[in-house]
């Protein structure tokens, strides 16, 4: 198969983790007889430097023409104080411009990294595998915002339409059907009108999925349950802002943000794949960043966009084997002697 991948390394450790991930994809291509063509594009801080814009039109257009997008991370202190411009605008522009409305963030705790989990052993006994399905292009992050004329008050509007909620919940239901058939809808329906609408839409959507067990949790309770009893969750479906916060919380349970992949899906098979972590300016350029989150994001790309299940399994198995063999980057080393970003890439490729 021939696939065209738009590659956006971005800023900071983005370039380092992408370099290793492309090597892993090449190794997969060789092993399974596929050709991956890469178009390298700019977005984020580097794009501000070269074009003045966080998301140049050429980048968005080239992404639209590709089969999928692989992104490192954007942002950093260099671009924090430019009036009206932020590197992260590139992410919102890509998600909106590419019609990506569902963000999939698996929180899987690898048994080999149990020691890195801050929770007590009895709470995580038996492992952890949660999929957070977050709405990505609606809600308060995209709502009207502003300040009063006197500058003494500000507002951000949370708004959702029925179709926006519906397509997100259908996506969550389809994913749950391939997992343990359990969806928890997280909201704040005791206070927010939008949340009450989410519940009404959920009742309709899940009526078509009688095999799925559905329950509802307020977001404050959900954030508590994630550390008290995370094994109760299979798929969590929620709004943009709640999903943003809960997925970061879930990432801590798994031990390292350097291990967490993500996928953003729209209609059809097109998707954008990126690690959950940011550009980590504190460790950029030192060959110490963990590339596994991005490598696992590429595995998700093979699975969800290219329908290459055996290839995705092969990457995930190679990552598992690498961890089994005690190979760790600094963030997950826990006292053991760590390897660098490139050496971690080498180790995964060797085990493919
Ligand atoms: P961050 O995820 O970049 O870093 C948080 C902490 O985790 C840091 O101590 C970092 O060293 C560590 N870390 C992150 N990824 C790691 C990896 N792969 N291996 C080892 N350690 C890792 O979050 P932040 O510090 O809040 O943000 C830094 C910059 O990244 C900011 O400009 C922020 O806006 C941006 N950001 C971008 C994205 C994205 O591009 N999707 C997401 C979050 C933050």
């Amino acid at each position: 198969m021939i696939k065209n991948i738009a590659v956006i390394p971005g800023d900071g450790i983005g370039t380092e983790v992408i370099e290793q991930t492309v090597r892993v994809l090449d190794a997969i291509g060789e092993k399974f007889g596929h050709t991956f063509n890469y178009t390298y594009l700019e977005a984020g801080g580097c794009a501000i430097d070269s074009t003045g814009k966080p998301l140049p039109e050429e980048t968005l257009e080239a992404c639209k023409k590709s089969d999928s997008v692989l992104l490192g991370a954007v942002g950093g202190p260099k671009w924090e104080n430019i009036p009206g411009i932020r590197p992260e605008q590139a992410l919102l522009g890509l998600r909106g411009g590419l019609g990506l409305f569902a963000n999939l963030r698996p929180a899987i705790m690898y048994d080999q990294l149990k020691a890195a989990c801050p929770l007590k052993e009895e709470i995580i006994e038996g492992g952890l595998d949660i999929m957070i399905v977050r709405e990505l292009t609606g809600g308060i992050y995209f709502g009207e915002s502003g300040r009063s004329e006197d500058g003494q008050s500000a507002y951000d509007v949370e708004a959702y339409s029925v179709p926006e909620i519906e397509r997100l919940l259908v996506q969550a239901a389809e994913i749950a059907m391939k997992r343990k058939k359990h969806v928890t809808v997280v909201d704040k329906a005791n206070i927010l009108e939008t949340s009450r609408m989410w519940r009404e839409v959920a009742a309709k959507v899940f009526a078509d999925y009688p095999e799925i067990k559905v329950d509802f949790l307020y977001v404050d309770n959900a954030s508590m349950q994630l550390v008290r009893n995370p094994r109760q969750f299979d798929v969590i479906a929620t709004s943009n802002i709640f999903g943003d916060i809960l997925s970061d919380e879930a990432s801590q349970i798994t031990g390292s943000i350097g291990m967490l992949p993500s996928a953003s899906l729209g209609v059809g098979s097109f998707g954008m794949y990126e690690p959950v972590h940011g550009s980590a300016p504190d460790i950029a350029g030192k060959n110490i960043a963990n590339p596994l989150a991005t490598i696992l994001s590429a595995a998700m790309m093979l699975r969800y966009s290219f329908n290459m299940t055996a290839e995705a399994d092969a990457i995930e198995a190679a990552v598992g084997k690498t961890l089994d063999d005690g190979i760790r980057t600094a963030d997950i080393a826990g006292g053991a002697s760590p390897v660098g970003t490139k050496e971690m890439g080498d180790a995964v490729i060797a085990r493919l």
Side-chain angles (χ1 to χ4, degrees), residues 35 54 91 212 256 286 309 322 330:
T35 303
L91 299 175
I212 295 181
S256 171
K286 297 181 181 160
T309 309
T322 303

Side-chain angles (χ1 to χ4, degrees), residues 13 73-76 88 91 257-258 274 276-283 289-290 331:
I13 62 167
V74 300
E88 294 77 8
L91 299 175
I257 197 159
E274 59 182 311
V276 164
H277 62 73
S279 58
D282 53 334
I283 58 166
N290 186 347
D331 56 314

Side-chain angles (χ1 to χ4, degrees), residues 17-350:
V17 295
I18 284 288
E19 193 182 335
Q20 298 314 313
T21 303
V22 168
R23 291 179 64 218
V24 169
L25 280 172
D26 283 340
I28 282 286
E30 209 168 293
K31 187 175 158 78
F32 289 86
H34 304 304
T35 303
F36 298 122
N37 298 319
Y38 309 104
T39 306
Y40 282 84
L41 302 162
E42 284 190 337
C46 59
I48 295 175
D49 285 347
S50 62
T51 70
K53 292 181 195 165
L55 180 62
E57 284 89 36
E58 308 86 79
T59 296
L60 185 58
E61 287 315 307
C63 287
K64 283 181 185 165
K65 286 191 198 122
S66 69
D67 295 314
S68 74
V69 182
L70 182 66
L71 183 132
V74 300
K78 182 178 172 193
W79 305 281
E80 255 158 33
N81 296 311
I82 309 171
I85 298 181
R86 286 191 60 85
E88 294 77 8
Q89 288 162 345
L91 299 175
L92 299 187
L94 282 165
R95 288 166 187 167
L98 298 172
L100 308 172
F101 62 83
N103 186 222
L104 274 50
R105 293 203 191 182
I108 298 168
M109 202 198 62
Y110 287 84
D111 221 37
Q112 303 92 325
L113 300 179
K114 229 165 38 185
C117 175
L119 301 182
K120 286 189 188 134
E121 202 159 342
E122 63 259 32
I123 295 179
I124 49 162
E125 192 65 55
L128 206 61
D129 181 4
I130 303 170
M131 179 70 88
I132 298 184
V133 182
R134 164 191 170 195
E135 201 289 325
L136 204 54
T137 52
I140 197 161
Y141 292 173
F142 286 85
E144 202 191 323
S145 66
R147 296 210 179 180
S148 63
E149 258 172 38
D150 65 3
Q152 294 306 295
S153 62
Y155 60 94
D156 299 277
V157 176
E158 169 89 346
Y160 269 110
S161 69
V162 170
E164 280 175 325
I165 303 168
E166 212 167 52
R167 63 186 187 180
L168 188 278
L169 292 177
V170 167
Q171 188 78 261
E174 291 293 332
I175 289 160
M177 288 301 287
K178 294 179 195 137
R179 296 172 48 99
K180 292 184 214 132
K181 300 188 174 68
H182 176 199
V183 178
T184 305
V185 179
V186 172
D187 60 31
K188 189 71 184 169
N190 50 341
I191 311 252
L192 300 177
E193 194 55 38
T194 42
S195 290
R196 288 191 275 273
M197 192 184 221
W198 272 74
R199 290 200 178 196
E200 284 164 26
V201 176
K204 283 197 194 116
V205 167
F206 290 108
D208 292 338
Y209 297 89
E211 288 161 75
I212 295 181
K213 176 177 176 258
V214 185
D215 43 34
F216 297 89
L217 271 189
Y218 297 144
V219 64
D220 39 355
N221 189 9
S223 61
M224 193 166 73
Q225 296 296 333
L226 265 175
V227 289
R228 234 179 122 231
N229 178 18
R231 282 176 48 76
Q232 71 184 281
F233 296 112
D234 175 24
V235 174
I236 292 177
T238 191
S239 64
N240 202 341
I241 185 167
F242 295 159
D244 190 10
I245 298 164
L246 291 180
S247 50
D248 267 19
E249 185 187 1
S251 74
Q252 281 308 300
I253 299 170
T254 64
S256 171
I257 197 159
M259 291 295 302
L260 292 172
S262 83
S264 301
L265 306 177
V267 177
S269 64
F270 187 86
M272 182 165 89
Y273 299 83
E274 59 182 311
V276 164
H277 62 73
S279 58
D282 53 334
I283 58 166
K286 297 181 181 160
N287 191 44
I288 54 177
N290 186 347
L292 293 180
T294 315
I295 290 171
L296 291 167
S297 301
M300 289 183 86
M301 177 171 79
L302 300 181
R303 190 182 304 284
Y304 291 107
S305 282
F306 301 163
N307 209 13
M308 296 180 181
T309 309
E311 292 83 339
D313 288 346
I315 294 182
E316 285 160 3
V319 168
K321 183 84 179 59
T322 303
L323 296 174
D324 279 340
D325 292 344
I327 295 163
R328 307 275 191 272
T329 42
D331 56 314
I332 51 174
S337 161
V339 301
T341 311
K342 177 175 180 304
E343 292 68 32
M344 186 54 112
D346 292 342
V348 173
I349 291 165

